[in-house]
């Protein structure tokens, strides 16, 4: 485990770098805005973005019904920390992982996805042996071309298999369109979700026409949640990155009337070398940030650009006439992609007005199983 990078009461300039830092004022506004904007539907935020029980509990305290995560070990970390309703938005087929799910179901409400008949039998058998029950959702492909089924016959067969089995409860459809989250133009996002909602509506109607209930259609992300909310199809929304945002989400063009979320997550780095007036080097490189969505941005500082990274170095370009950087000066970096950046850290330093207010453990960091 990494060294705790700060103590409560430290100034920002005393944080040991590189460190993952959240601006509490921005973060709290983000949580409150989403809670208010979605209060007509169930909100189940995706915790793969933050992996932090403190944040999950803050979301639940503001009305969320529970959280989502992606892995059984993530679910275990949250349940161990006191979260009592977790949906694993993934197919779980390995026997040991199924065993972990049913163990967790003794202490919390646990949901999981299926897109084939064999896992239904495996989940039901394991839950019966453990004398517990799992909530099971059929994942449908609404355009992401990843997991999920799209045939009406297949959806009905899966829903019936879950409904007829002991140890599992059919809860509804999982309809997440991940590929739509970063379509830059709002019209493109709206059109993608209109198609997704149409698929979900049609498949739900097939289930109901077959004599079964389909109580929940769940999905949505930080880039599209407003369209799912207004579709009349979705009952539950799963945005996650909205608590932090990142440089990639900032590239999305907002639609008129969109709720605006603020970038609240930063990697704070320190200047370790100033080879010239046009260049500085910070201590945050490839091992401190995720680069899958591009280079980080520099926050609140004009005339400086992050231009190159190696394992432990980040090279900054200082444009002519910009204020020079000093040794050990703090530079606030906005990650390109918040989710995998968070997964690099054990601690999240919560600051307000330049002072460390708290340090939160990232309990589900590295939970890959």
């Amino acid at each position: 485990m990494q060294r705790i990078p700060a103590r409560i009461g430290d100034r920002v300039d005393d944080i040991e770098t590189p460190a993952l830092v959240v601006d509490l004022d921005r973060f709290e506004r983000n949580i409150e805005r989403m809670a208010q904007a979605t209060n007509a539907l169930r909100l189940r935020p995706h915790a793969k973005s933050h992996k932090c029980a403190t944040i999950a509990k803050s979301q639940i305290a503001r009305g969320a019904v529970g959280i989502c995560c992606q892995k059984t070990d993530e679910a275990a970390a949250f349940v161990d920390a006191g979260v009592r309703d977790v949906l694993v938005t993934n197919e779980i087929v390995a026997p040991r992982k199924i065993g972990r799910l049913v163990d967790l179901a003794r202490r919390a409400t646990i949901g999981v996805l299926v897109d084939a008949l064999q896992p239904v039998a495996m989940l039901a058998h394991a839950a019966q042996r453990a004398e517990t029950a799992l909530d099971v959702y059929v994942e449908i492909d609404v355009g992401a071309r990843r997991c999920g089924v799209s045939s009406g016959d297949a959806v009905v067969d899966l829903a019936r298999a879950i409904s007829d089995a002991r140890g599992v409860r059919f809860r509804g459809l999982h309809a997440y369109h991940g590929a739509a989250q970063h379509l830059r133009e709002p019209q493109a996002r709206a059109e993608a979700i209109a198609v997704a909602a149409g698929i979900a509506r049609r498949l739900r109607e097939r289930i109901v026409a077959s004599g079964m209930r389909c109580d929940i259609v769940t999905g949505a992300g930080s880039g599209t949640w407003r369209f799912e909310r207004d579709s009349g199809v979705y009952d539950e929304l799963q945005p996650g990155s909205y608590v932090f945002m990142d440089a990639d989400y900032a590239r999305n063009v907002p639609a008129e009337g969109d709720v605006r979320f603020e970038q609240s997550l930063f990697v704070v780095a320190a200047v370790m070398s100033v080879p010239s007036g046009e260049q500085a080097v910070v201590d945050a490189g490839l091992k401190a940030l995720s680069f899958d969505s591009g280079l980080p941005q520099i926050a609140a500082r004009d005339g400086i650009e992050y231009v190159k990274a190696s394992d432990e170095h980040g090279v900054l370009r200082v444009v002519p006439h910009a204020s020079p950087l000093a040794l050990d000066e703090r530079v606030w970096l906005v990650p390109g992609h918040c989710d995998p950046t968070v997964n690099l850290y054990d601690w999240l330093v919560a600051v307000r007005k330049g002072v460390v207010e708290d340090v939160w453990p990232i309990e589900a960091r590295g939970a890959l199983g």
Side-chain angles (χ1 to χ4, degrees):
M1 182 172 285
Q2 298 158 352
R3 180 185 295 108
I4 298 176
R7 295 170 298 182
I8 294 173
D10 281 351
R11 296 176 302 110
V12 167
D13 286 348
D14 296 325
I15 297 172
E16 219 174 311
T17 59
L20 193 68
V21 173
V22 62
D23 181 305
L24 280 171
D25 288 332
R26 296 180 175 200
F27 165 82
E28 290 169 358
R29 287 194 292 266
N30 287 345
I31 287 188
E32 188 60 36
R33 286 168 184 159
M34 184 63 80
Q36 291 180 1
T38 59
N39 62 8
L41 299 179
R42 292 161 56 96
L43 177 63
R44 183 183 291 277
H46 216 303
K48 71 182 178 66
S49 298
H50 57 69
K51 292 177 168 277
C52 174
T54 301
I55 295 177
K57 291 176 180 179
S58 179
Q59 293 170 311
I60 292 168
R62 287 166 174 80
V65 298
I67 61 165
C68 300
C69 62
Q70 286 287 79
K71 299 299 183 84
T72 61
D73 286 341
E74 281 184 330
F78 285 110
V79 172
D80 288 345
V83 176
R84 290 293 172 256
D85 194 327
V86 179
L87 170 59
V88 179
T89 54
N90 220 339
E91 280 69 22
I92 304 299
V93 298
R96 289 185 180 180
K97 295 180 181 181
I98 291 174
R100 289 201 285 273
L101 284 183
V102 298
D103 285 344
L104 293 174
R106 293 191 177 102
R107 296 184 282 146
T109 300
I110 302 295
V112 66
L113 311 184
V114 297
D115 64 0
L117 286 170
Q118 182 181 354
V120 176
M122 296 169 66
L123 291 163
H125 178 68
Q128 289 175 58
R129 289 188 61 184
E131 297 183 337
T132 187
L134 294 168
D135 288 345
V136 181
Y137 298 73
V138 174
E139 181 166 22
I140 59 175
D141 181 4
V142 292
R145 301 296 182 262
R146 197 166 62 180
C147 299
V149 294
S150 55
S151 156
D153 289 342
V155 169
V156 170
D157 288 346
L158 282 167
R160 191 169 301 285
I162 300 164
S163 299
D164 289 347
R166 293 172 49 232
V168 291
R169 299 176 290 242
F170 176 58
R171 294 292 284 140
L173 300 177
H174 185 265
Y176 173 63
H177 195 338
Q181 303 309 310
H182 299 281
L183 296 173
R184 298 308 179 199
E185 294 300 323
Q187 185 62 31
R189 298 195 297 276
E191 290 171 357
I193 299 309
V195 171
I199 294 170
R201 179 185 288 108
R202 174 177 59 82
L203 295 178
R204 180 185 229 171
E205 289 172 350
R206 283 289 305 271
I207 292 170
V208 173
S210 299
M212 293 176 284
R213 294 180 55 173
C214 183
D215 292 335
I216 297 174
V217 173
T218 183
S222 294
T224 65
W225 64 271
R226 181 185 168 202
F227 303 117
E228 283 96 344
R229 181 197 66 181
D230 297 342
S231 69
V233 175
Y234 286 76
D235 308 284
E236 184 177 270
L237 306 177
Q238 302 175 4
S241 298
Y242 74 94
V243 297
F244 293 147
M245 304 309 285
D246 52 35
D248 194 56
Y249 266 118
R251 298 183 186 106
N252 280 7
V253 178
E256 184 177 351
D258 267 356
V259 177
R260 303 299 292 272
F261 298 101
E262 303 172 62
Q263 292 174 337
S264 68
L265 184 76
F266 306 88
V267 171
V268 173
V271 177
M272 54 193 282
S273 176
V274 184
S276 70
E278 292 78 36
Q279 181 173 305
V281 182
V282 295
D283 58 358
L286 297 171
K287 294 182 180 179
L289 297 129
S290 173
F291 287 81
D292 64 297
S293 295
L295 297 170
Q297 297 176 342
I298 310 293
R301 188 70 185 261
D302 295 329
I304 303 173
E305 182 183 7
Y306 193 112
V307 293
K308 186 174 68 172
S310 51
D311 283 354
E312 305 290 1
H313 298 75
V315 178
L316 310 184
R317 183 175 69 88
V318 183
V319 304
H321 311 300
S323 300
L325 290 164
L327 288 175
D328 205 35
E329 182 175 348
R330 296 305 188 264
V331 178
W332 292 56
L333 306 174
V334 179
H337 189 180
C338 57
D339 299 26
T341 296
V342 169
N343 197 50
L344 298 171
Y345 292 87
D346 288 319
W347 304 98
L348 182 55
V349 181
V351 305
R352 196 187 308 272
K353 297 178 174 58
V355 176
V356 176
E357 190 168 300
D358 208 347
V359 181
W360 301 334
I362 302 174
E363 290 92 344
R365 183 253 175 156
L368 303 179

